[in-house]
Amino acid sequence: QSVLTQPPSVSAAPGQKVTISCSGNTSNIGLHYVSWYQQLPQSAPKLLIYDNLRRPSGIPDRFSGSKSGTSVTLGITGLQSGDEADYYCGTWDINLKSVVFGGGTKLTVL
Amino acid sequence: EVQLVETGGGLIQPGGSLRLSCAASGFTVSSNYMSWVRQAPGKGLEWVSVIYSGGSTYYADSVKGRFTISRDNSKNTLYLQMNSLRAEDTAVYYCATLNGGWFDPWGQGTLVTVSS
């Protein structure tokens, strides 16, 4: 059971938009910045979003992040087949004194 | 180019020990917060340990007392010494740089299988 809660899977058609939620509490998301990672099949995770909404250089603006209270959301527009991957949110938990991740969301582009 | 390359994984019997290495290039390990994150087969990401630039170390409860993170500044390499290994330690182990509150970059990972 992960500390941060993500939906196990989401799907949408090419060109459409999808959102992935990540829910926590006041000891983690409510206090700290959140990052998002994309893990393509058989690959290492890759940073997608940091500080809730910032994109590293090289990440297209089709990817966006937002935060409200103790939840964050990853948005992906203009879906492409290459976006099929597992997506993870992560942050620090002040009570657990540990980095915590969501359980991951598998994105399927129909 | 900034790069992390992990080595040292393999098949080990329960109760055994293994040391993972993570060689860095393009930046200095000792000037950064460096971390290990693992992923059990078919499962999500689990943070394992971090070493701060000042040398302080922290561990997940699941590995505390069994795993030790360290670095060799002369070799610009991060290590994870894993003792008293259990079946539930079976995972791909990634090293990553902890920048602010996020992990970037990541290595390609090394698989550790604990089985008799």
Side-chain angles (χ1 to χ4, degrees), chain B residues 63-110:
Chain B
V63 306
K64 202 172 295 182
R66 300 187 300 122
F67 290 12
T68 302
I69 191 172
S70 64
R71 66 191 182 210
D72 184 329
N73 297 345
S74 66
K75 295 182 178 179
N76 207 30
T77 298
L78 177 73
Y79 300 102
L80 186 68
Q81 176 67 42
M82 304 185 295
N83 299 330
S84 303
L85 282 161
R86 307 166 180 167
E88 54 265 35
D89 295 319
T90 294
V92 175
Y93 285 73
Y94 298 100
C95 65
T97 305
L98 184 56
N99 288 295
W102 62 91
F103 296 100
D104 182 58
W106 297 63
Q108 87 288 349
T110 186

Side-chain angles (χ1 to χ4, degrees), chain A residues 7 16 23 41 43 48 58-59 86 89 93 98 109-110:
Chain A
Q16 297 300 302
S23 177
S43 296
L48 208 56
I59 301 300
D86 293 324
C89 56
D93 189 296
S98 169
V109 180
L110 301 170

Side-chain angles (χ1 to χ4, degrees), chain A residues 37 39 44-45 47 50-51 88 98, chain B residues 39 44 47 94 102-103 106-107:
Chain A
Y37 304 89
Q39 187 175 32
L47 179 66
Y50 68 98
D51 286 357
Y88 294 91
S98 169
Chain B
Q39 186 172 34
W47 173 76
Y94 298 100
W102 62 91
F103 296 100
W106 297 63

Side-chain angles (χ1 to χ4, degrees), chain A residues 23-86:
Chain A
S23 177
N25 57 43
T26 54
S27 69
N28 43 62
I29 293 179
L31 274 179
H32 300 284
Y33 287 117
V34 177
S35 50
W36 286 93
Y37 304 89
Q38 177 193 60
Q39 187 175 32
L40 297 171
Q42 305 305 316
S43 296
K46 172 186 170 183
L47 179 66
L48 208 56
I49 296 287
Y50 68 98
D51 286 357
N52 300 333
L53 51 73
R54 302 188 189 284
R55 284 176 286 106
S57 61
I59 301 300
D61 58 8
R62 299 188 300 109
F63 295 90
S64 64
S66 64
K67 177 178 175 177
S68 177
T70 58
S71 294
V72 291
T73 301
L74 174 69
I76 311 173
T77 59
L79 276 173
Q80 304 172 1
S81 58
D83 296 332
E84 285 205 335
D86 293 324

Side-chain angles (χ1 to χ4, degrees), chain A residues 80-105:
Chain A
Q80 304 172 1
S81 58
D83 296 332
E84 285 205 335
D86 293 324
Y87 293 84
Y88 294 91
C89 56
T91 189
W92 178 261
D93 189 296
I94 197 169
N95 286 344
L96 298 175
K97 295 182 174 56
S98 169
V99 173
V100 291
F101 291 101
T105 299

